[in-house]
Amino acid sequence: MPLPYSELVMEHFRNPQNVGEIEDADAKSVEGSPACGDMVAIYLKVDEETQVITDVKFESYGCASNIATGSIITEMAKGKTLEEAKKISWKEASDELGGLPPIKTHCSVLAVDGLRAAIENYEEKHGLIKERAPTTVEVVRKRLKRVMNPVVGLDLVRTNLVEDIQVDGGIVRVAIDLPEDHQFANNIREEILEKIESLWDVEEVVVEFVAA
Ligand code: FES
């Protein structure tokens, strides 16, 4: 059976560029796809003065399309300023790869979203966000859609594990419908802290596991 992938996709899949973790990254993101349960992590090094991306790496737990897109967008982003890199679209990434099968669109969207989220993470840490909308329950819920429930590989919101969210004067409380001693409780807590703490007006994040 012929593979539905272009030669270029296969080339990037076989020899992906920029794979791995940057230990002392200036910013990072982990994005999951609700469509397939796969994940991609993106790490950035940024020159603080020029805001040029000096290094970028990715780790993928996705399919060939996802790996190929991670490879191509990290190549495209390297050497660009944050503003320029933000504008890289999945269409450009897909064109650069000679096209992806339509059923695989979400895989490249996932990689592009990962890059944007890593840039956003850098901007938040460095106070570069221009529109400073206050954090609301909705903002927190949106972020929690990026935290995976490792048991099923889908996000916490989709799998109905978020029991309650409260935002009050810089303190965010998140109640998760799992027992405190659940095998993934610590991982989930850490991921939630990472996603929410970087919001500009959040001072403290409290994660409670409320199931008996
Ligand atoms: Fe999950 Fe492609 S099918 S990333």
Side-chain angles (χ1 to χ4, degrees), residues 33 36-39 61-66 104 106-107 110:
S33 164
C36 66
D38 288 327
M39 289 170 95
Y61 304 93
C63 65
S65 285
N66 185 261
K104 291 284 169 184
H106 76 269
C107 316
L110 174 60

Side-chain angles (χ1 to χ4, degrees), residues 43-99:
Y43 304 86
L44 293 181
K45 285 295 275 181
V46 180
D47 182 317
E48 221 180 315
E49 218 144 275
T50 58
Q51 293 192 6
V52 166
I53 298 174
T54 53
D55 197 10
V56 45
K57 284 203 186 332
F58 79 102
E59 291 172 318
S60 165
Y61 304 93
C63 65
S65 285
N66 185 261
I67 294 171
T69 314
S71 172
I72 202 85
I73 55 155
T74 48
E75 283 292 275
M76 290 163 88
K78 212 184 277 180
K80 284 198 167 67
T81 62
L82 296 175
E83 282 305 316
E84 289 164 351
K86 243 191 253 180
K87 295 195 190 110
I88 300 172
S89 65
W90 69 266
K91 174 88 176 60
E92 281 166 334
S94 159
D95 286 352
E96 200 79 11
L97 285 168

